[in-house]
Amino acid sequence: MDVVPGRVFMNKIEEKFNKFSYMVMKEADAKKKEMISKAEKERAEMISEKERILLKKAYDHIHEAIAKIEKEHNEEVSKAILASKQAVFNRRQEILESVFSNVRKKLDIFKQSEEYKVFMIETIMKGLEKTGQGEKQVFIDGEDIPIVEEIKAKSGVTFDLLESEEQLLGGCLICNKTKGIMYDYSFVNRLEAEKSAFLENYGLSID
């Protein structure tokens, strides 16, 4: 049987077309797989980024909540500490008032006695001698001015007599202006020292 030349030519063209079609389909399939893979990768990265953002938001929220709780806790603790210190302070003041009100009364009685005049003479004379040479000042309570004026007149010692701006509760302050020194012989100073010692000895000091 003879082969028709035209048919052979058509068969070769069809064969080439089939091969070309196969290559195109193969390349298209590879491209499709590549695109699918890339899309899945981008999707995974997008999901991962969203998860990271959500996790960060969750972490920040938790951190803020913890910080708020800690702040509230610290504030409550501080309030409790302040309240306890205030309670101790109030009680301490009550004890001081109770104990030292009697001391104040005894000082007031002592200041009306002749012994107080003797005390003031000895204190002022020793204090003036201790301050040394220079311009001297003696500060006292207003009610003690007559006593000290009498001491000044009888002793002949030169000093400026001034009323203290702060209540001394008795006693005096002696100052040498020239040397810039002052000695505190006031009853209020001694009373405060006694209060401090009392609080420390009986464990009532507030740190």
Side-chain angles (χ1 to χ4, degrees), residues 61-94:
H61 180 72
I62 293 169
H63 183 72
E64 289 173 3
I66 291 172
K68 183 179 179 181
I69 292 169
E70 287 180 348
K71 182 182 178 183
E72 291 175 353
H73 173 71
N74 291 336
E75 287 175 353
E76 290 299 321
V77 170
S78 296
K79 286 179 183 178
I81 292 172
L82 287 174
S84 64
K85 282 191 174 184
Q86 185 63 45
V88 171
F89 177 80
N90 292 340
R91 182 56 181 154
R92 187 184 73 163
Q93 291 303 111
E94 290 176 7

PDB file of all heavy atoms in Angstrom, residues 61-94:
ATOM      1  N   HIS A  61      -1.384  44.042  76.396  1.00  0.00           N
ATOM      2  CA  HIS A  61      -2.577  44.139  77.242  1.00  0.00           C
ATOM      3  C   HIS A  61      -2.328  43.497  78.610  1.00  0.00           C
ATOM      4  O   HIS A  61      -2.681  44.067  79.644  1.00  0.00           O
ATOM      5  CB  HIS A  61      -3.760  43.456  76.542  1.00  0.00           C
ATOM      6  CG  HIS A  61      -5.023  43.502  77.335  1.00  0.00           C
ATOM      7  ND1 HIS A  61      -5.756  44.660  77.512  1.00  0.00           N
ATOM      8  CD2 HIS A  61      -5.676  42.527  78.037  1.00  0.00           C
ATOM      9  CE1 HIS A  61      -6.808  44.390  78.268  1.00  0.00           C
ATOM     10  NE2 HIS A  61      -6.787  43.117  78.592  1.00  0.00           N
ATOM     11  N   ILE A  62      -1.716  42.308  78.584  1.00  0.00           N
ATOM     12  CA  ILE A  62      -1.402  41.613  79.842  1.00  0.00           C
ATOM     13  C   ILE A  62      -0.422  42.424  80.668  1.00  0.00           C
ATOM     14  O   ILE A  62      -0.571  42.578  81.886  1.00  0.00           O
ATOM     15  CB  ILE A  62      -0.830  40.205  79.560  1.00  0.00           C
ATOM     16  CG1 ILE A  62      -1.925  39.308  78.946  1.00  0.00           C
ATOM     17  CG2 ILE A  62      -0.273  39.567  80.824  1.00  0.00           C
ATOM     18  CD1 ILE A  62      -1.403  38.001  78.395  1.00  0.00           C
ATOM     19  N   HIS A  63       0.609  42.970  79.984  1.00  0.00           N
ATOM     20  CA  HIS A  63       1.626  43.773  80.675  1.00  0.00           C
ATOM     21  C   HIS A  63       0.997  45.002  81.322  1.00  0.00           C
ATOM     22  O   HIS A  63       1.306  45.344  82.470  1.00  0.00           O
ATOM     23  CB  HIS A  63       2.698  44.193  79.671  1.00  0.00           C
ATOM     24  CG  HIS A  63       3.823  44.958  80.294  1.00  0.00           C
ATOM     25  ND1 HIS A  63       4.772  44.360  81.103  1.00  0.00           N
ATOM     26  CD2 HIS A  63       4.145  46.280  80.231  1.00  0.00           C
ATOM     27  CE1 HIS A  63       5.630  45.280  81.509  1.00  0.00           C
ATOM     28  NE2 HIS A  63       5.271  46.452  81.001  1.00  0.00           N
ATOM     29  N   GLU A  64       0.096  45.674  80.585  1.00  0.00           N
ATOM     30  CA  GLU A  64      -0.577  46.846  81.123  1.00  0.00           C
ATOM     31  C   GLU A  64      -1.464  46.472  82.309  1.00  0.00           C
ATOM     32  O   GLU A  64      -1.530  47.212  83.297  1.00  0.00           O
ATOM     33  CB  GLU A  64      -1.427  47.511  80.030  1.00  0.00           C
ATOM     34  CG  GLU A  64      -0.591  48.209  78.953  1.00  0.00           C
ATOM     35  CD  GLU A  64      -1.447  48.716  77.804  1.00  0.00           C
ATOM     36  OE1 GLU A  64      -2.685  48.564  77.880  1.00  0.00           O
ATOM     37  OE2 GLU A  64      -0.876  49.262  76.840  1.00  0.00           O
ATOM     38  N   ALA A  65      -2.136  45.334  82.193  1.00  0.00           N
ATOM     39  CA  ALA A  65      -3.006  44.882  83.278  1.00  0.00           C
ATOM     40  C   ALA A  65      -2.189  44.583  84.530  1.00  0.00           C
ATOM     41  O   ALA A  65      -2.572  44.956  85.646  1.00  0.00           O
ATOM     42  CB  ALA A  65      -3.777  43.637  82.846  1.00  0.00           C
ATOM     43  N   ILE A  66      -1.045  43.908  84.332  1.00  0.00           N
ATOM     44  CA  ILE A  66      -0.175  43.583  85.470  1.00  0.00           C
ATOM     45  C   ILE A  66       0.368  44.861  86.105  1.00  0.00           C
ATOM     46  O   ILE A  66       0.404  44.995  87.337  1.00  0.00           O
ATOM     47  CB  ILE A  66       0.995  42.673  85.022  1.00  0.00           C
ATOM     48  CG1 ILE A  66       0.449  41.282  84.641  1.00  0.00           C
ATOM     49  CG2 ILE A  66       2.049  42.544  86.117  1.00  0.00           C
ATOM     50  CD1 ILE A  66       1.487  40.370  84.017  1.00  0.00           C
ATOM     51  N   ALA A  67       0.802  45.806  85.258  1.00  0.00           N
ATOM     52  CA  ALA A  67       1.337  47.081  85.756  1.00  0.00           C
ATOM     53  C   ALA A  67       0.267  47.831  86.559  1.00  0.00           C
ATOM     54  O   ALA A  67       0.562  48.418  87.608  1.00  0.00           O
ATOM     55  CB  ALA A  67       1.824  47.941  84.589  1.00  0.00           C
ATOM     56  N   LYS A  68      -0.978  47.796  86.061  1.00  0.00           N
ATOM     57  CA  LYS A  68      -2.075  48.469  86.755  1.00  0.00           C
ATOM     58  C   LYS A  68      -2.336  47.810  88.104  1.00  0.00           C
ATOM     59  O   LYS A  68      -2.529  48.499  89.116  1.00  0.00           O
ATOM     60  CB  LYS A  68      -3.342  48.415  85.889  1.00  0.00           C
ATOM     61  CG  LYS A  68      -4.517  49.164  86.494  1.00  0.00           C
ATOM     62  CD  LYS A  68      -5.733  49.096  85.580  1.00  0.00           C
ATOM     63  CE  LYS A  68      -6.909  49.824  86.225  1.00  0.00           C
ATOM     64  NZ  LYS A  68      -8.123  49.753  85.378  1.00  0.00           N
ATOM     65  N   ILE A  69      -2.323  46.476  88.117  1.00  0.00           N
ATOM     66  CA  ILE A  69      -2.547  45.739  89.370  1.00  0.00           C
ATOM     67  C   ILE A  69      -1.438  46.045  90.373  1.00  0.00           C
ATOM     68  O   ILE A  69      -1.694  46.273  91.562  1.00  0.00           O
ATOM     69  CB  ILE A  69      -2.627  44.220  89.097  1.00  0.00           C
ATOM     70  CG1 ILE A  69      -3.905  43.895  88.307  1.00  0.00           C
ATOM     71  CG2 ILE A  69      -2.593  43.424  90.391  1.00  0.00           C
ATOM     72  CD1 ILE A  69      -3.961  42.486  87.770  1.00  0.00           C
ATOM     73  N   GLU A  70      -0.175  46.037  89.876  1.00  0.00           N
ATOM     74  CA  GLU A  70       0.960  46.330  90.752  1.00  0.00           C
ATOM     75  C   GLU A  70       0.873  47.751  91.313  1.00  0.00           C
ATOM     76  O   GLU A  70       1.156  47.979  92.490  1.00  0.00           O
ATOM     77  CB  GLU A  70       2.277  46.161  89.990  1.00  0.00           C
ATOM     78  CG  GLU A  70       2.638  44.704  89.716  1.00  0.00           C
ATOM     79  CD  GLU A  70       3.944  44.566  88.961  1.00  0.00           C
ATOM     80  OE1 GLU A  70       4.448  45.596  88.465  1.00  0.00           O
ATOM     81  OE2 GLU A  70       4.471  43.430  88.897  1.00  0.00           O
ATOM     82  N   LYS A  71       0.480  48.706  90.446  1.00  0.00           N
ATOM     83  CA  LYS A  71       0.344  50.092  90.892  1.00  0.00           C
ATOM     84  C   LYS A  71      -0.723  50.205  91.976  1.00  0.00           C
ATOM     85  O   LYS A  71      -0.513  50.856  93.009  1.00  0.00           O
ATOM     86  CB  LYS A  71      -0.016  50.979  89.697  1.00  0.00           C
ATOM     87  CG  LYS A  71      -0.128  52.456  90.060  1.00  0.00           C
ATOM     88  CD  LYS A  71      -0.539  53.280  88.849  1.00  0.00           C
ATOM     89  CE  LYS A  71      -0.702  54.750  89.239  1.00  0.00           C
ATOM     90  NZ  LYS A  71      -1.164  55.571  88.103  1.00  0.00           N
ATOM     91  N   GLU A  72      -1.872  49.571  91.730  1.00  0.00           N
ATOM     92  CA  GLU A  72      -2.962  49.615  92.707  1.00  0.00           C
ATOM     93  C   GLU A  72      -2.534  48.946  94.012  1.00  0.00           C
ATOM     94  O   GLU A  72      -2.856  49.435  95.104  1.00  0.00           O
ATOM     95  CB  GLU A  72      -4.201  48.932  92.136  1.00  0.00           C
ATOM     96  CG  GLU A  72      -4.843  49.709  90.989  1.00  0.00           C
ATOM     97  CD  GLU A  72      -6.003  48.954  90.350  1.00  0.00           C
ATOM     98  OE1 GLU A  72      -6.202  47.774  90.716  1.00  0.00           O
ATOM     99  OE2 GLU A  72      -6.694  49.529  89.485  1.00  0.00           O
ATOM    100  N   HIS A  73      -1.806  47.837  93.879  1.00  0.00           N
ATOM    101  CA  HIS A  73      -1.320  47.131  95.067  1.00  0.00           C
ATOM    102  C   HIS A  73      -0.355  48.011  95.853  1.00  0.00           C
ATOM    103  O   HIS A  73      -0.467  48.123  97.089  1.00  0.00           O
ATOM    104  CB  HIS A  73      -0.622  45.831  94.645  1.00  0.00           C
ATOM    105  CG  HIS A  73       0.046  45.117  95.780  1.00  0.00           C
ATOM    106  ND1 HIS A  73      -0.652  44.469  96.770  1.00  0.00           N
ATOM    107  CD2 HIS A  73       1.373  44.967  96.083  1.00  0.00           C
ATOM    108  CE1 HIS A  73       0.199  43.948  97.629  1.00  0.00           C
ATOM    109  NE2 HIS A  73       1.436  44.235  97.238  1.00  0.00           N
ATOM    110  N   ASN A  74       0.582  48.640  95.149  1.00  0.00           N
ATOM    111  CA  ASN A  74       1.561  49.501  95.812  1.00  0.00           C
ATOM    112  C   ASN A  74       0.889  50.689  96.484  1.00  0.00           C
ATOM    113  O   ASN A  74       1.294  51.109  97.579  1.00  0.00           O
ATOM    114  CB  ASN A  74       2.609  49.999  94.807  1.00  0.00           C
ATOM    115  CG  ASN A  74       3.516  48.889  94.326  1.00  0.00           C
ATOM    116  OD1 ASN A  74       3.689  47.878  95.010  1.00  0.00           O
ATOM    117  ND2 ASN A  74       4.109  49.060  93.150  1.00  0.00           N
ATOM    118  N   GLU A  75      -0.136  51.215  95.814  1.00  0.00           N
ATOM    119  CA  GLU A  75      -0.868  52.342  96.399  1.00  0.00           C
ATOM    120  C   GLU A  75      -1.590  51.913  97.676  1.00  0.00           C
ATOM    121  O   GLU A  75      -1.602  52.655  98.672  1.00  0.00           O
ATOM    122  CB  GLU A  75      -1.881  52.892  95.390  1.00  0.00           C
ATOM    123  CG  GLU A  75      -1.229  53.671  94.247  1.00  0.00           C
ATOM    124  CD  GLU A  75      -2.232  54.116  93.192  1.00  0.00           C
ATOM    125  OE1 GLU A  75      -3.413  53.691  93.290  1.00  0.00           O
ATOM    126  OE2 GLU A  75      -1.849  54.878  92.292  1.00  0.00           O
ATOM    127  N   GLU A  76      -2.176  50.724  97.649  1.00  0.00           N
ATOM    128  CA  GLU A  76      -2.864  50.212  98.833  1.00  0.00           C
ATOM    129  C   GLU A  76      -1.889  49.978  99.968  1.00  0.00           C
ATOM    130  O   GLU A  76      -2.178  50.284 101.141  1.00  0.00           O
ATOM    131  CB  GLU A  76      -3.615  48.910  98.495  1.00  0.00           C
ATOM    132  CG  GLU A  76      -4.818  49.100  97.591  1.00  0.00           C
ATOM    133  CD  GLU A  76      -5.871  50.001  98.206  1.00  0.00           C
ATOM    134  OE1 GLU A  76      -6.103  49.895  99.427  1.00  0.00           O
ATOM    135  OE2 GLU A  76      -6.449  50.824  97.477  1.00  0.00           O
ATOM    136  N   VAL A  77      -0.720  49.409  99.629  1.00  0.00           N
ATOM    137  CA  VAL A  77       0.312  49.162 100.650  1.00  0.00           C
ATOM    138  C   VAL A  77       0.786  50.484 101.242  1.00  0.00           C
ATOM    139  O   VAL A  77       0.930  50.626 102.464  1.00  0.00           O
ATOM    140  CB  VAL A  77       1.512  48.388 100.047  1.00  0.00           C
ATOM    141  CG1 VAL A  77       2.676  48.341 101.035  1.00  0.00           C
ATOM    142  CG2 VAL A  77       1.094  46.969  99.680  1.00  0.00           C
ATOM    143  N   SER A  78       1.017  51.477 100.366  1.00  0.00           N
ATOM    144  CA  SER A  78       1.470  52.792 100.827  1.00  0.00           C
ATOM    145  C   SER A  78       0.436  53.443 101.744  1.00  0.00           C
ATOM    146  O   SER A  78       0.783  54.026 102.774  1.00  0.00           O
ATOM    147  CB  SER A  78       1.743  53.709  99.624  1.00  0.00           C
ATOM    148  OG  SER A  78       2.793  53.198  98.842  1.00  0.00           O
ATOM    149  N   LYS A  79      -0.839  53.306 101.351  1.00  0.00           N
ATOM    150  CA  LYS A  79      -1.908  53.863 102.183  1.00  0.00           C
ATOM    151  C   LYS A  79      -1.945  53.182 103.547  1.00  0.00           C
ATOM    152  O   LYS A  79      -2.131  53.841 104.571  1.00  0.00           O
ATOM    153  CB  LYS A  79      -3.253  53.685 101.482  1.00  0.00           C
ATOM    154  CG  LYS A  79      -3.469  54.625 100.304  1.00  0.00           C
ATOM    155  CD  LYS A  79      -4.815  54.369  99.648  1.00  0.00           C
ATOM    156  CE  LYS A  79      -5.022  55.249  98.422  1.00  0.00           C
ATOM    157  NZ  LYS A  79      -6.312  54.962  97.751  1.00  0.00           N
ATOM    158  N   ALA A  80      -1.765  51.861 103.541  1.00  0.00           N
ATOM    159  CA  ALA A  80      -1.775  51.112 104.800  1.00  0.00           C
ATOM    160  C   ALA A  80      -0.610  51.521 105.690  1.00  0.00           C
ATOM    161  O   ALA A  80      -0.768  51.685 106.911  1.00  0.00           O
ATOM    162  CB  ALA A  80      -1.711  49.611 104.511  1.00  0.00           C
ATOM    163  N   ILE A  81       0.573  51.696 105.079  1.00  0.00           N
ATOM    164  CA  ILE A  81       1.752  52.108 105.838  1.00  0.00           C
ATOM    165  C   ILE A  81       1.544  53.499 106.427  1.00  0.00           C
ATOM    166  O   ILE A  81       1.833  53.748 107.610  1.00  0.00           O
ATOM    167  CB  ILE A  81       3.013  52.082 104.949  1.00  0.00           C
ATOM    168  CG1 ILE A  81       3.367  50.631 104.583  1.00  0.00           C
ATOM    169  CG2 ILE A  81       4.191  52.746 105.660  1.00  0.00           C
ATOM    170  CD1 ILE A  81       4.479  50.518 103.560  1.00  0.00           C
ATOM    171  N   LEU A  82       1.030  54.425 105.587  1.00  0.00           N
ATOM    172  CA  LEU A  82       0.789  55.788 106.061  1.00  0.00           C
ATOM    173  C   LEU A  82      -0.251  55.813 107.176  1.00  0.00           C
ATOM    174  O   LEU A  82      -0.111  56.548 108.162  1.00  0.00           O
ATOM    175  CB  LEU A  82       0.327  56.666 104.896  1.00  0.00           C
ATOM    176  CG  LEU A  82       1.399  57.048 103.868  1.00  0.00           C
ATOM    177  CD1 LEU A  82       0.768  57.787 102.700  1.00  0.00           C
ATOM    178  CD2 LEU A  82       2.480  57.899 104.509  1.00  0.00           C
ATOM    179  N   ALA A  83      -1.284  54.992 107.004  1.00  0.00           N
ATOM    180  CA  ALA A  83      -2.344  54.939 108.023  1.00  0.00           C
ATOM    181  C   ALA A  83      -1.797  54.416 109.346  1.00  0.00           C
ATOM    182  O   ALA A  83      -2.124  54.931 110.419  1.00  0.00           O
ATOM    183  CB  ALA A  83      -3.486  54.054 107.535  1.00  0.00           C
ATOM    184  N   SER A  84      -0.955  53.371 109.271  1.00  0.00           N
ATOM    185  CA  SER A  84      -0.380  52.806 110.501  1.00  0.00           C
ATOM    186  C   SER A  84       0.567  53.789 111.166  1.00  0.00           C
ATOM    187  O   SER A  84       0.574  53.937 112.389  1.00  0.00           O
ATOM    188  CB  SER A  84       0.362  51.501 110.186  1.00  0.00           C
ATOM    189  OG  SER A  84       1.472  51.736 109.345  1.00  0.00           O
ATOM    190  N   LYS A  85       1.365  54.514 110.332  1.00  0.00           N
ATOM    191  CA  LYS A  85       2.279  55.512 110.891  1.00  0.00           C
ATOM    192  C   LYS A  85       1.500  56.660 111.536  1.00  0.00           C
ATOM    193  O   LYS A  85       1.891  57.168 112.588  1.00  0.00           O
ATOM    194  CB  LYS A  85       3.201  56.063 109.801  1.00  0.00           C
ATOM    195  CG  LYS A  85       4.341  55.116 109.441  1.00  0.00           C
ATOM    196  CD  LYS A  85       5.366  55.819 108.577  1.00  0.00           C
ATOM    197  CE  LYS A  85       6.577  54.919 108.346  1.00  0.00           C
ATOM    198  NZ  LYS A  85       7.632  55.609 107.587  1.00  0.00           N
ATOM    199  N   GLN A  86       0.398  57.052 110.875  1.00  0.00           N
ATOM    200  CA  GLN A  86      -0.422  58.124 111.424  1.00  0.00           C
ATOM    201  C   GLN A  86      -1.039  57.702 112.751  1.00  0.00           C
ATOM    202  O   GLN A  86      -1.110  58.493 113.697  1.00  0.00           O
ATOM    203  CB  GLN A  86      -1.520  58.499 110.427  1.00  0.00           C
ATOM    204  CG  GLN A  86      -2.356  59.699 110.845  1.00  0.00           C
ATOM    205  CD  GLN A  86      -1.543  60.968 110.948  1.00  0.00           C
ATOM    206  OE1 GLN A  86      -0.746  61.265 110.071  1.00  0.00           O
ATOM    207  NE2 GLN A  86      -1.731  61.721 112.015  1.00  0.00           N
ATOM    208  N   ALA A  87      -1.467  56.433 112.820  1.00  0.00           N
ATOM    209  CA  ALA A  87      -2.051  55.920 114.058  1.00  0.00           C
ATOM    210  C   ALA A  87      -1.014  55.917 115.180  1.00  0.00           C
ATOM    211  O   ALA A  87      -1.306  56.300 116.320  1.00  0.00           O
ATOM    212  CB  ALA A  87      -2.584  54.503 113.828  1.00  0.00           C
ATOM    213  N   VAL A  88       0.214  55.477 114.841  1.00  0.00           N
ATOM    214  CA  VAL A  88       1.297  55.467 115.833  1.00  0.00           C
ATOM    215  C   VAL A  88       1.620  56.896 116.257  1.00  0.00           C
ATOM    216  O   VAL A  88       1.824  57.169 117.449  1.00  0.00           O
ATOM    217  CB  VAL A  88       2.560  54.780 115.261  1.00  0.00           C
ATOM    218  CG1 VAL A  88       3.741  54.955 116.202  1.00  0.00           C
ATOM    219  CG2 VAL A  88       2.296  53.300 115.039  1.00  0.00           C
ATOM    220  N   PHE A  89       1.678  57.802 115.266  1.00  0.00           N
ATOM    221  CA  PHE A  89       1.991  59.208 115.570  1.00  0.00           C
ATOM    222  C   PHE A  89       0.929  59.807 116.495  1.00  0.00           C
ATOM    223  O   PHE A  89       1.268  60.496 117.474  1.00  0.00           O
ATOM    224  CB  PHE A  89       2.063  60.006 114.269  1.00  0.00           C
ATOM    225  CG  PHE A  89       2.297  61.472 114.484  1.00  0.00           C
ATOM    226  CD1 PHE A  89       3.565  61.950 114.743  1.00  0.00           C
ATOM    227  CD2 PHE A  89       1.230  62.368 114.433  1.00  0.00           C
ATOM    228  CE1 PHE A  89       3.782  63.313 114.947  1.00  0.00           C
ATOM    229  CE2 PHE A  89       1.438  63.727 114.636  1.00  0.00           C
ATOM    230  CZ  PHE A  89       2.715  64.204 114.894  1.00  0.00           C
ATOM    231  N   ASN A  90      -0.344  59.548 116.184  1.00  0.00           N
ATOM    232  CA  ASN A  90      -1.426  60.082 117.019  1.00  0.00           C
ATOM    233  C   ASN A  90      -1.344  59.548 118.444  1.00  0.00           C
ATOM    234  O   ASN A  90      -1.519  60.295 119.413  1.00  0.00           O
ATOM    235  CB  ASN A  90      -2.787  59.739 116.408  1.00  0.00           C
ATOM    236  CG  ASN A  90      -3.031  60.464 115.101  1.00  0.00           C
ATOM    237  OD1 ASN A  90      -2.396  61.477 114.803  1.00  0.00           O
ATOM    238  ND2 ASN A  90      -3.945  59.949 114.297  1.00  0.00           N
ATOM    239  N   ARG A  91      -1.090  58.240 118.534  1.00  0.00           N
ATOM    240  CA  ARG A  91      -0.978  57.634 119.863  1.00  0.00           C
ATOM    241  C   ARG A  91       0.230  58.178 120.607  1.00  0.00           C
ATOM    242  O   ARG A  91       0.180  58.422 121.811  1.00  0.00           O
ATOM    243  CB  ARG A  91      -0.870  56.102 119.721  1.00  0.00           C
ATOM    244  CG  ARG A  91      -0.785  55.351 121.035  1.00  0.00           C
ATOM    245  CD  ARG A  91      -1.950  55.675 121.938  1.00  0.00           C
ATOM    246  NE  ARG A  91      -1.864  54.970 123.208  1.00  0.00           N
ATOM    247  CZ  ARG A  91      -2.410  55.395 124.337  1.00  0.00           C
ATOM    248  NH1 ARG A  91      -3.103  56.537 124.341  1.00  0.00           N
ATOM    249  NH2 ARG A  91      -2.281  54.708 125.445  1.00  0.00           N
ATOM    250  N   ARG A  92       1.313  58.382 119.861  1.00  0.00           N
ATOM    251  CA  ARG A  92       2.527  58.918 120.466  1.00  0.00           C
ATOM    252  C   ARG A  92       2.284  60.316 121.021  1.00  0.00           C
ATOM    253  O   ARG A  92       2.730  60.650 122.127  1.00  0.00           O
ATOM    254  CB  ARG A  92       3.638  58.970 119.408  1.00  0.00           C
ATOM    255  CG  ARG A  92       5.002  59.357 119.969  1.00  0.00           C
ATOM    256  CD  ARG A  92       6.027  59.484 118.879  1.00  0.00           C
ATOM    257  NE  ARG A  92       5.816  60.697 118.100  1.00  0.00           N
ATOM    258  CZ  ARG A  92       6.729  61.224 117.299  1.00  0.00           C
ATOM    259  NH1 ARG A  92       7.884  60.616 117.129  1.00  0.00           N
ATOM    260  NH2 ARG A  92       6.486  62.322 116.635  1.00  0.00           N
ATOM    261  N   GLN A  93       1.550  61.128 120.245  1.00  0.00           N
ATOM    262  CA  GLN A  93       1.243  62.484 120.696  1.00  0.00           C
ATOM    263  C   GLN A  93       0.377  62.471 121.954  1.00  0.00           C
ATOM    264  O   GLN A  93       0.561  63.298 122.854  1.00  0.00           O
ATOM    265  CB  GLN A  93       0.537  63.258 119.580  1.00  0.00           C
ATOM    266  CG  GLN A  93       1.428  63.576 118.381  1.00  0.00           C
ATOM    267  CD  GLN A  93       2.656  64.363 118.773  1.00  0.00           C
ATOM    268  OE1 GLN A  93       3.772  63.847 118.717  1.00  0.00           O
ATOM    269  NE2 GLN A  93       2.475  65.600 119.193  1.00  0.00           N
ATOM    270  N   GLU A  94      -0.555  61.521 122.007  1.00  0.00           N
ATOM    271  CA  GLU A  94      -1.408  61.396 123.194  1.00  0.00           C
ATOM    272  C   GLU A  94      -0.573  61.074 124.425  1.00  0.00           C
ATOM    273  O   GLU A  94      -0.777  61.642 125.510  1.00  0.00           O
ATOM    274  CB  GLU A  94      -2.453  60.295 122.974  1.00  0.00           C
ATOM    275  CG  GLU A  94      -3.521  60.652 121.953  1.00  0.00           C
ATOM    276  CD  GLU A  94      -4.479  59.494 121.692  1.00  0.00           C
ATOM    277  OE1 GLU A  94      -4.369  58.473 122.413  1.00  0.00           O
ATOM    278  OE2 GLU A  94      -5.308  59.601 120.784  1.00  0.00           O
TER     279      GLU A  94
END
